[in-house]
Amino acid sequence: MKRLLTIQDISCVGQCSATVALPLVSACGVECAVLPSAVLSNHTGGFPSWTFRDLTGELPLVEAKWNELGLRFDAFLTGYVCEPQIDPILSILSTCAAPGALRIVDPVMADGGRLYAGFGPDFPAKMARLCAGADYILPNLTEAAFLLGRPPVLEGYGRAYIEDTVAGLHDLGAKNVVLTGVSFEPDLLGTAVSDGTAIRYDFNPRLARTSHGTGDVFSSVFAGALLRGLGAPAAAALAADIVCAAIQATPPDHWYGVAFEQTIPLLATRLPPA
Ligand code: PXL
């Protein structure tokens, strides 16, 4: 069994970040260790306020302990983190890696053309440093534009824009790029997966609603499926299918998160036998 370490916050309520990664990576049959970067009472995407306990100081202490104990990870999945944590995380990704470990970076910081609350305009350049050493990065279109220091373009673009964006992200240093939120036709929404030589597109019917936390569901299933041996295009397609199923399972009045729990039986049927 492979062991993945996810580094992101614990939002105690909100169905996002670590509380999504732990169950979904586990449901993929992959051991999921967690290093919380911060503890929040609830996420910042729609609640009027939240508490925030910064755990940056813990990161080097935990790293030193793991090095003393000889604990190593086959893969890393990073998500929502803040600026002072980038260097400590880069160090953990280096010293706690098993040979051949995969570094999967979801540059969680923005959506819908805007940075999330709490991130300043300098943050994308810092996040780009984390992306530079990644085997896989999973930005949405807004995050991709910010990583490249460009204004986000969310509609009216064509394949040339996506190809140029993907090429720019490879130039940052990312080996593989999984771009989410790609749409060339109003009714279809999907992903562009690039290994630097070719781009593979995958689309699902666009759903009438969106939900908070879908990016975290996507990254968790993608990481789990990749470690179970699926290639990146198949892992991205499965992750997108699970996101769609989760949105469809979410009651209309459930505004702060997505009912990913309902999709765990489906996820189990879509993975290769152990
Ligand atoms: O789902 C991304 C995310 C993770 N963690 C926290 C957030 C958000 C998005 O708003 O606020 C704390």
Side-chain angles (χ1 to χ4, degrees):
M1 196 160 89
K2 297 270 177 59
R3 183 198 287 144
L4 175 144
L5 172 67
T6 190
I7 308 176
Q8 49 186 326
D9 70 285
I10 292 180
S11 285
C12 302
V13 174
Q15 289 166 310
C16 71
S17 39
T19 66
V20 167
L22 279 165
L24 284 177
V25 171
S26 301
C28 290
V30 174
E31 180 183 341
C32 189
V34 62
L35 179 48
S37 55
V39 175
L40 292 84
S41 52
N42 45 272
H43 64 62
T44 69
F47 291 100
S49 57
W50 49 87
T51 67
F52 183 94
R53 172 70 64 183
D54 182 359
L55 295 178
T56 307
E58 287 299 302
L59 302 181
L61 304 179
V62 171
E63 178 188 11
K65 181 55 69 181
W66 283 341
N67 280 324
E68 181 194 319
L69 297 173
L71 286 169
R72 296 284 177 264
F73 300 96
D74 303 302
F76 301 91
L77 171 63
T78 71
Y80 181 100
V81 298
C82 47
E83 194 263 309
Q85 299 171 340
I86 301 285
D87 283 322
I89 290 172
L90 282 168
S91 179
I92 292 168
L93 267 50
S94 161
T95 70
C96 298
L102 285 180
R103 297 176 177 88
I104 305 167
V105 172
D106 186 1
V108 176
M109 59 183 168
D111 204 2
R114 299 176 51 181
L115 285 169
Y116 291 140
F119 291 120
D122 295 340
F123 185 67
K126 307 279 178 359
M127 182 57 95
R129 294 183 48 231
L130 192 53
C131 291
D135 294 291
Y136 294 88
I137 61 169
L138 316 174
N140 60 38
L141 271 191
T142 302
E143 290 159 345
F146 283 138
L147 285 171
L148 298 177
R150 302 173 182 169
V153 177
L154 299 180
E155 52 190 24
Y157 55 81
R159 283 179 189 242
Y161 175 76
I162 297 300
E163 284 163 23
D164 183 57
T165 300
V166 165
L169 294 169
H170 282 301
D171 286 346
L172 287 181
K175 285 201 192 71
N176 296 275
V177 174
V178 180
L179 193 57
T180 61
V182 176
S183 181
F184 300 127
E185 296 170 47
D187 296 344
L188 297 177
L189 187 63
T191 55
V193 179
S194 168
D195 61 3
T197 63
I199 299 183
R200 304 259 216 108
Y201 292 97
D202 173 68
F203 294 99
N204 279 327
R206 185 192 286 271
L207 301 176
R209 50 189 294 227
T210 56
S211 290
H212 189 274
T214 51
D216 301 335
V217 172
F218 184 90
S219 64
S220 303
V221 174
F222 176 81
L226 202 64
L227 288 182
R228 284 295 302 277
L230 269 68
L238 174 58
D241 288 351
I242 296 297
V243 166
C244 290
I247 293 173
Q248 281 166 324
T250 304
D253 60 347
H254 184 76
W255 64 271
Y256 63 75
V258 65
F260 72 90
E261 299 87 352
Q262 309 298 321
T263 69
I264 289 176
L266 170 66
L267 176 58
T269 66
R270 296 280 304 271
L271 289 163

